[in-house]
Structures are given as C-alpha cells and as structure tokens.
Amino acid sequence: MFKKTTSLTLAFSGLIMLVTSIVLYFGPAGQVAHFCPWQFWGLNRHYWMMLHLNSGVLFCLAMLVHTWLNWRLLTAYMNLKKSGLRGIALAVSLVLTLYVCIGGCFNLSPMKQLIGVARSCRIASLKAYGSPPYGSGRRLPGGTDCRIYGLEPPKGHGPAYQRPHSP
C-alpha cells in the first residue's frame, strides 16, 4: 500500500507540475502579470506559481521516498559489472539529462527554440497588457511604493532612504 501511494503521489504531483509549467510558460511574464487582469481557469499567476511550487515540493518528497523504496532496482539498473544494455541505458540517461540541463546555457537545440517561444509569449503579453507602471520595487527609494498606492510611507522612509538590496 505504501509503495502504491508513493507512486500515485509521484504521478499526480508530476501531472500538476506539468500542467502548471505549461500555463506559466505561456502566461504573461511575472512583472506584467502582477499588473494585469490575466487569469487562466479562474486563477492568476500568483496561484499558478503557488500550485507549481507546492506540487514540486510534494513531487520531490515522493521522489525521495520512491527512490528509497526502489533502491535495489535502481542500483541494478546502474550495475556496470553486468554486460548488456544497462551500461548503455545509464550513459544515455546521463548524457540526455546533462544535455537538456546545460543546453539552455549554451543555446543548443531544442532548448534554444523553447526559450525563443517563451520570449515570444512574454513579448506578446507586453503588447496585450502593456508594461508595468514601474520596474523592480527594490530599486525604488523607500516609501515610493507606498505613494504609488496612495499610502503614507512609514516615518524615517523619506526620499533619501534606500531600501537594502537583496542579493
């Protein structure tokens, strides 16, 4: 029962991550989404990000438990002492994983095309919804963001106060 529950949790959380990844991939950029009325299936970008993060944490936990439960089988897959396709499967799996993970940094296909589609979606969202009224809030002098929303800044946060930058 524990193995079945772990496998199903892994599958369901992976499915949710797949759906949220697709929605976030084609949705407007973060800065634009905070200032536009964009929603998909009744949820805005904040809730899609929350679903993606929470399902990702659940997926990682289920993956760790799944790995622990199937450790013997996984080590058998990676056993290079036995001849045959096992060593080839391990090599292909490692090369494919490294290629996909590093390929985006070096503009390799098909990651280059995926990044291009994402960039096109971001540009389309800028055309559809316009640019945000201001850039990153941490670059604004302290209290400016309060004034944008019509609030009084806290005492000591006059125009000369600079909010500390996060790393």
Side-chain angles (χ1 to χ4, degrees):
M1 165 108 171
F2 190 61
K3 272 188 162 186
K4 290 178 184 177
T5 303
T6 302
S7 295
L8 288 171
T9 302
L10 192 60
F12 292 145
S13 60
L15 181 64
I16 292 171
M17 279 188 14
L18 174 68
V19 170
T20 57
S21 294
I22 292 169
V23 170
L24 292 170
Y25 182 80
F26 289 108
Q31 285 181 328
V32 175
H34 290 299
F35 292 99
C36 74
W38 179 84
Q39 286 189 348
F40 186 72
W41 289 345
L43 300 174
N44 64 20
R45 183 177 173 85
H46 170 77
Y47 290 105
W48 282 106
M49 289 291 294
M50 184 181 62
L51 275 171
H52 187 72
L53 178 67
N54 291 338
S55 62
V57 169
L58 181 61
F59 182 86
C60 289
L61 291 173
M63 183 218 32
L64 290 172
V65 174
H66 190 270
T67 301
W68 176 66
L69 291 172
N70 296 291
W71 186 251
R72 240 187 260 165
L73 185 59
L74 286 170
T75 55
Y77 287 157
M78 294 184 283
N79 189 354
L80 297 177
K81 291 179 183 177
K82 294 182 180 181
S83 62
L85 297 177
R86 289 186 179 156
I88 294 172
L90 177 63
V92 169
S93 177
L94 284 173
V95 168
L96 179 64
T97 303
L98 286 173
Y99 183 80
V100 169
C101 291
I102 297 172
C105 298
F106 296 103
N107 283 328
L108 302 176
S109 292
M111 286 67 63
K112 178 180 179 179
Q113 286 76 13
L114 286 172
I115 292 169
V117 170
R119 189 172 290 125
S120 298
C121 291
R122 300 300 183 248
I123 290 169
S125 70
L126 279 172
K127 288 179 182 176
Y129 298 111
S131 295
Y134 59 89
S136 176
R138 62 190 177 117
R139 294 192 188 123
L140 294 173
T144 303
D145 49 352
C146 291
R147 288 187 204 93
I148 287 171
Y149 293 109
L151 305 171
E152 283 298 317
K155 292 186 182 203
H157 291 127
Y161 174 79
Q162 254 333 76
R163 196 179 304 166
H165 293 294
S166 56

